[in-house]
Amino acid sequence: VQLQASGGGLVQPGGSLRLSCAASGSIFSIGDMGWYRQAPGKQRELVARITSDGSTTYADSVKGRFTISRDNAKNTVYLQMNSLKPEDTAVFYCNMLILAPKVSGWNGYWGQGTLVTVSS
């Protein structure tokens, strides 16, 4: 199983970006999907999470600005980021709980990270 994240880049304050993360490989089922971020010198933190039935959770710092969604047919999770601020600058990582052949139980998989830079 591999997760491929994309969509990061340089954007001005107030701008928008849409991140995508697709899972590939042999997969039985995907549970929770989420986005985390790690700013320079800081610990990785949860940004948003979405369950298999569509329930969502957001960090307080992004509520009202970011929207997480998923496309189960494509094994993909998205993060729409609006009204971006310089303090949103970080490497964003996707995470999925996946049930896969030949692997015992549900396991968490990480994408490679995509850099989001918010600067004028």
Side-chain angles (χ1 to χ4, degrees):
V1 176
Q2 290 187 329
L3 272 60
Q4 181 68 45
S6 61
L10 173 64
V11 63
Q12 292 187 340
S16 298
L17 281 175
R18 188 192 195 209
L19 306 183
S20 300
C21 176
S24 61
S26 296
I27 295 171
F28 284 146
S29 184
I30 302 179
D32 291 4
M33 297 178 173
W35 289 95
Y36 292 72
R37 66 184 178 187
Q38 187 166 17
K42 295 188 176 181
Q43 289 189 330
R44 191 174 298 189
E45 63 175 0
L46 174 69
V47 175
R49 196 154 189 88
I50 184 167
T51 65
S52 56
D53 64 1
S55 297
T56 57
T57 303
Y58 294 94
D60 287 343
S61 59
V62 307
K63 283 181 181 176
R65 300 189 297 122
F66 292 9
T67 302
I68 189 170
S69 61
R70 62 191 287 167
D71 184 333
N72 293 326
K74 296 181 178 180
N75 291 339
T76 299
V77 62
Y78 304 97
L79 186 68
Q80 177 66 44
M81 305 185 292
N82 299 327
S83 302
L84 282 160
K85 304 175 181 180
E87 51 263 43
D88 294 318
T89 295
V91 177
F92 282 70
Y93 298 89
C94 56
N95 174 270
M96 297 186 188
L97 283 176
I98 295 176
L99 188 64
K102 303 180 181 179
V103 180
S104 177
W106 292 86
N107 291 275
Y109 293 82
W110 291 93
Q112 84 283 8
T114 184
L115 177 62
V116 172
T117 303
V118 185
S119 176
S120 56

